[in-house]
Amino acid sequence: MDKTSPLSPEIPSPAYICPFDQACSYLDAAGKELKLDQGLLEILSNPRKVVTVSMPVKRDNGEILVLAGHRVQHCDVLGPYKGGIRFHPAVTLREVSALAMLMTWKCALLGIPYGGAKGGIAINPKTYSTNELERISRRYISELIKDIGPSVDIPAPDMGTSAREMAWMMDTYSVNIGNAVPGVVTGKPLSIGGSLGREMATGRGVMIIVREALADKGKSLEGTRIAIQGFGNVGGAAAVLLHEAGAKIIAVSTGSGGVFAENGLDISEVKAYAKENNRKILGFPHAKPISNAELLTLPCDVLIPAALENQITEENVNQIQANLIVEAANGPVTLEANQALEARGVTVLPDILSNAGGVVVSYLEWVQGLSYLFWDEEKVNSEMESLMVKAYRKVIEQSQMRKISPRLAAYVLGVGRVAQALSDRGLYP
Ligand code: GLU
């Protein structure tokens, strides 16, 4: 059987950390804190709809490839499903299910009227041509046409996808429906109803959370030493904005390795180098090469994991030196590592808060589209900032009030809001 077939089993390695089990553990902890009814918890532990489609796609050489495309819709009690589509070799149904659940709590925490969803295809987009990626994107959406829509489920970019894929997806949906439906996806190009500020939104949100957390410790961004794992859409944007705000970005990395400079990197130079070198930054002059693992354990004030999940684990947690960790990736810290960090008094600001800037601006894009009124970038950024700051404040307040970690506080707020809506709506029939 082709390993990309939807029916191929996921064979866990001994070191396998199941992202869905981790997500359920956080949900259970929030359920316990909220004294949630067991039945409600059971509802929230299961995605409402799980779709896996088998997608035949022709490669440029005429060969037929059969890929598995997933879309998991976790919970739509607050509004339409919302969440990105990931093109990455590590995509599995369990990962997509975990990420869909995180989207539910993220939207609820931020107070935006969506439920959580996520999609994914296990491919490495770098090994496909633009035409192949277009065929894959279009086939994926046409297979899911009955499951998505502007008031049903609204996809967006995630790892490995961008405005370009959203345009193909919006076009495929619209052609099949018979009229233009810009609201079916967010993170679109500006030409078809995208929003100013969307591209940098997740990184901007991360910068805002770092700034607020430092302010609470009586510090400012000026001169703060920050290491960022990842230099893509999220890590790269966060690096630019934090650098502009006066922080010292001492290290950044991509999948193939990173660079370190004791006195801080000139992020615009690193960006220019990456652009010229096929997104690689290893080899950037005026800096020392560093591995992804080494980056995490550097002495710094703030550590921002902005790449994949399960980066800070039981294996390396004791070597982590930062006192503040801001999760820009989804699930970069494992459950056990998180417990160890909390026991040591390290502040960990969770993904569902820290990386919410993207979905917040997706929401603002959707609102602008529905009202046929488009805003300037300043307005988009300031609306996003006020939602992010409000959510951050609530998390800290809840954490202090209940004497729990910011992560558990964020879950208590997100899960609590969904559980309340669920019990107010009641069960049908
Ligand atoms: N993929 C992003 C996330 O995980 C954005 C989702 C969206 O904009 O719907 O939050």
Side-chain angles (χ1 to χ4, degrees):
M1 191 188 291
D2 186 317
K3 71 174 178 4
T4 58
S5 158
L7 297 178
S8 65
E10 283 173 19
I11 305 166
S13 72
Y16 179 72
I17 301 167
C18 174
F20 189 70
D21 291 350
Q22 299 237 340
C24 287
S25 301
Y26 288 132
L27 167 61
D28 287 345
K32 214 184 242 169
E33 180 69 29
L34 288 161
K35 300 187 179 57
L36 272 196
D37 173 83
Q38 196 51 38
L40 276 188
L41 204 55
E42 189 69 28
I43 296 175
L44 298 175
S45 304
N46 291 285
R48 175 128 185 256
K49 192 167 185 178
V50 178
V51 186
T52 295
V53 292
S54 166
M55 313 177 354
V57 184
K58 210 172 252 173
R59 294 213 70 159
D60 290 343
N61 64 7
E63 194 188 311
I64 289 173
L65 193 67
V66 182
L67 298 168
H70 308 292
R71 184 76 181 166
V72 176
Q73 298 171 333
H74 173 254
C75 173
D76 70 344
V77 69
L78 290 174
Y81 296 108
K82 187 87 193 79
I85 295 170
R86 180 173 286 206
F87 288 181
H88 190 278
V91 162
T92 64
L93 189 53
R94 291 196 144 249
E95 183 201 48
V96 177
S97 305
L99 296 171
M101 186 189 275
L102 294 192
M103 286 306 298
T104 302
W105 317 139
K106 194 188 296 189
C107 294
L109 171 62
L110 268 293
I112 56 180
Y114 291 133
K118 201 75 161 200
I121 306 176
I123 53 165
N124 178 357
K126 288 186 197 123
T127 60
Y128 292 88
S129 70
T130 304
N131 285 333
E132 288 171 337
L133 289 171
E134 179 168 354
R135 287 196 288 275
I136 292 169
S137 303
R138 288 186 181 278
R139 184 70 195 219
Y140 175 80
I141 285 302
S142 73
E143 292 288 348
L144 291 170
I145 208 123
K146 293 205 174 80
D147 296 297
I148 61 167
S151 53
V152 181
D153 181 354
I154 308 145
D158 198 83
M159 206 176 276
T161 57
S162 64
R164 179 184 69 170
E165 285 74 16
M166 293 308 113
W168 293 330
M169 291 181 184
M170 176 269 185
D171 182 67
T172 305
Y173 185 85
S174 300
V175 169
N176 278 277
I177 294 292
N179 53 278
V181 189
V184 68
V185 292
T186 59
K188 302 178 287 288
L190 290 179
S191 60
I192 48 171
S195 175
L196 289 165
R198 176 63 184 83
E199 217 175 312
M200 298 284 278
T202 313
R204 184 175 295 280
V206 170
M207 181 272 284
I208 292 166
I209 296 298
V210 175
R211 187 194 66 203
E212 294 299 305
L214 287 171
D216 274 354
K217 292 178 193 281
K219 296 182 184 153
S220 79
L221 282 171
E222 191 67 44
T224 291
R225 296 165 62 79
I226 303 181
I228 305 179
Q229 187 195 46
F231 200 60
N233 180 40
V234 180
V240 168
L241 295 166
L242 287 162
H243 177 70
E244 276 172 16
K248 256 193 188 136
I249 312 298
I250 59 161
V252 290
S253 65
T254 66
S256 52
V259 288
F260 162 69
E262 180 63 41
N263 293 323
L265 296 155
D266 183 328
I267 293 299
S268 41
E269 280 182 10
V270 182
K271 273 233 124 164
Y273 183 89
K275 205 171 165 193
E276 274 165 31
N277 291 278
N278 204 14
R279 284 185 274 182
K280 285 204 176 73
I281 56 173
L282 200 62
F284 172 72
H286 333 295
K288 288 188 194 145
I290 190 170
S291 72
N292 264 295
E294 285 164 340
L295 181 144
L296 295 173
T297 60
L298 283 174
C300 58
D301 303 310
V302 185
L303 176 62
I304 304 180
L308 275 176
E309 46 258 32
N310 300 335
Q311 296 301 299
I312 302 177
T313 65
E314 272 176 305
E315 302 282 302
N316 61 0
V317 68
N318 290 333
Q319 292 143 42
I320 303 293
Q321 302 195 52
N323 268 319
L324 172 62
I325 299 178
V326 177
E327 293 186 330
N330 287 311
V333 179
T334 66
L335 203 68
E336 292 76 14
N338 187 62
Q339 277 163 359
L341 290 166
E342 282 174 8
R344 257 171 50 197
V346 176
T347 306
V348 185
L349 294 174
D351 43 13
I352 58 169
L353 169 70
S354 311
N355 71 20
V359 73
V360 168
V361 177
S362 273
Y363 162 65
L364 299 175
E365 174 178 333
W366 188 69
V367 168
Q368 291 170 78
L370 291 176
S371 63
Y372 303 99
L373 253 183
F374 289 87
W375 309 339
D376 59 29
E377 189 164 352
E378 223 171 283
K379 164 132 170 109
V380 175
N381 289 346
S382 99
E383 293 285 335
M384 185 263 264
E385 178 155 350
S386 85
L387 286 172
M388 291 295 291
V389 172
K390 198 161 130 195
Y392 171 80
R393 291 269 153 253
K394 277 196 184 159
V395 166
I396 298 305
E397 197 185 282
Q398 194 71 210
S399 142
Q400 287 165 350
M401 205 176 78
R402 290 181 181 265
K403 298 188 175 36
I404 55 177
S405 68
R407 184 188 304 277
L408 186 52
Y411 272 80
V412 161
L413 288 164
V415 173
R417 182 159 186 232
V418 177
Q420 182 65 49
L422 199 56
S423 67
D424 287 346
R425 278 181 59 164
L427 272 195
Y428 171 85

